Amino acid sequence: TGHGANVVGSLGSGSLVQDMPTAYSNPSGGDAWVNVGTDTALELSGATATVSCWVKSIYDNTSFADNNHAVSKYQGGTAKRGYRLGINNDGGGSMYWAVGLPGAGGSVQATQDVSTYGLDTTEWFHMAGTFDAGVMKLYINGDLATEEDHSASTVEVSGNATVPFEIGAYEVGSRLWYGNMRDVRIWNSSLDITDIQEVFGDVNMAGATATGSLQGWWKMENESLTDSSTNSNNGAQSGTAVWDKSEYNLNQIGSGSV
């Protein structure tokens, strides 16, 4: 068994998978995203922060359209840039972890081309961004993909009290994530690689990593947008999400064991 499912037989042989959780999806042409609100716990303002999630895209690693946001608390073109994590269409697909500069001065980010990295974005993958006094790290499937030092520009995440924390969108429902999402977590600490690998390996979502600094955790299974952290900032669905058991392929999550 694994991932909250009772498995009968072998997935490879085509046997049935019983009691599977349903996965959250915004399909091609869809309008689904999640508004979590503006509670101060979601700001991650300060010298350290971490954001992570599991995603699966409708786009392959060379065909991303526009800017697909997985997680954001960010409004471009204003003094309300907080942070965001996603993949844009630079070169067909560039993963980014961005943090706004104080005031209206733009943002800094760590990026990784997903094609040259060899990532299959049409299968489940894990991405995480950390911020530590201006040093930004981007992790893919538990491995450090890129690191950039922006401490000369900023040493803290800018607070932005009026912009909502969004899953699958930014700027209140624009530039959506098209595909599946699960296990979104945020911390007000900078997790190290050991912690990141523990989160990546926690496919059953037991949640034993860095619990003291956990500020939000949305498992996004079985039509639930409940916040499993102690802050209880539950998500509100906007648009029409699809919750589909067929979107789970356990062989694509974590180590692939079931």
Side-chain angles (χ1 to χ4, degrees), residues 22-24 34 167 181-184 205 218-226 243 248:
T22 55
Y24 178 94
V34 179
I167 299 173
M181 302 192 69
R182 72 188 295 269
D183 193 8
V184 176
M205 293 189 284
W218 300 268
K219 297 181 179 181
M220 303 181 75
E221 289 189 321
N222 295 325
E223 303 188 32
S224 173
L225 299 173
T226 299
W243 296 86
Y248 264 90

Side-chain angles (χ1 to χ4, degrees), residues 33-43 72-74 83 160-167 186 218 233-236:
W33 61 284
V34 179
N35 189 331
V36 184
T38 59
D39 186 78
T40 55
L42 306 170
E43 289 191 48
S72 78
K73 198 174 192 304
Y74 194 101
Y83 54 89
N160 106 32
T162 61
V163 175
F165 177 86
E166 300 172 63
I167 299 173
I186 62 173
W218 300 268
N233 287 309
N234 299 333

Side-chain angles (χ1 to χ4, degrees), residues 42-90:
L42 306 170
E43 289 191 48
L44 305 186
S45 58
T48 57
T50 301
V51 174
S52 77
C53 59
W54 278 96
V55 290
K56 177 181 177 183
S57 178
I58 67 169
Y59 301 112
D60 66 29
N61 59 16
T62 62
S63 66
F64 272 80
D66 197 20
N67 206 334
N68 285 225
H69 285 77
V71 179
S72 78
K73 198 174 192 304
Y74 194 101
Q75 185 170 324
T78 71
K80 299 176 181 178
R81 295 178 175 95
Y83 54 89
R84 58 179 176 170
L85 178 67
I87 298 179
N88 64 32
N89 61 348
D90 289 350

Side-chain angles (χ1 to χ4, degrees), residues 141-226:
N141 289 336
D143 295 325
L144 178 61
T146 188
E147 176 180 345
E148 298 187 27
D149 187 348
H150 293 289
S151 57
S153 299
T154 184
V155 294
E156 64 180 7
V157 178
S158 296
N160 106 32
T162 61
V163 175
F165 177 86
E166 300 172 63
I167 299 173
Y170 101 135
E171 290 192 337
V172 195
S174 66
R175 297 183 178 181
L176 306 180
W177 182 269
Y178 290 102
N180 302 96
M181 302 192 69
R182 72 188 295 269
D183 193 8
V184 176
R185 310 188 204 192
I186 62 173
W187 296 260
N188 62 3
S189 65
S190 180
L191 272 59
D192 62 22
I193 190 168
T194 299
D195 293 330
I196 293 292
Q197 290 175 344
E198 287 179 358
V199 174
F200 167 66
D202 184 25
V203 290
N204 287 310
M205 293 189 284
T209 303
T211 54
S213 60
L214 185 68
Q215 298 300 296
W217 182 16
W218 300 268
K219 297 181 179 181
M220 303 181 75
E221 289 189 321
N222 295 325
E223 303 188 32
S224 173
L225 299 173
T226 299

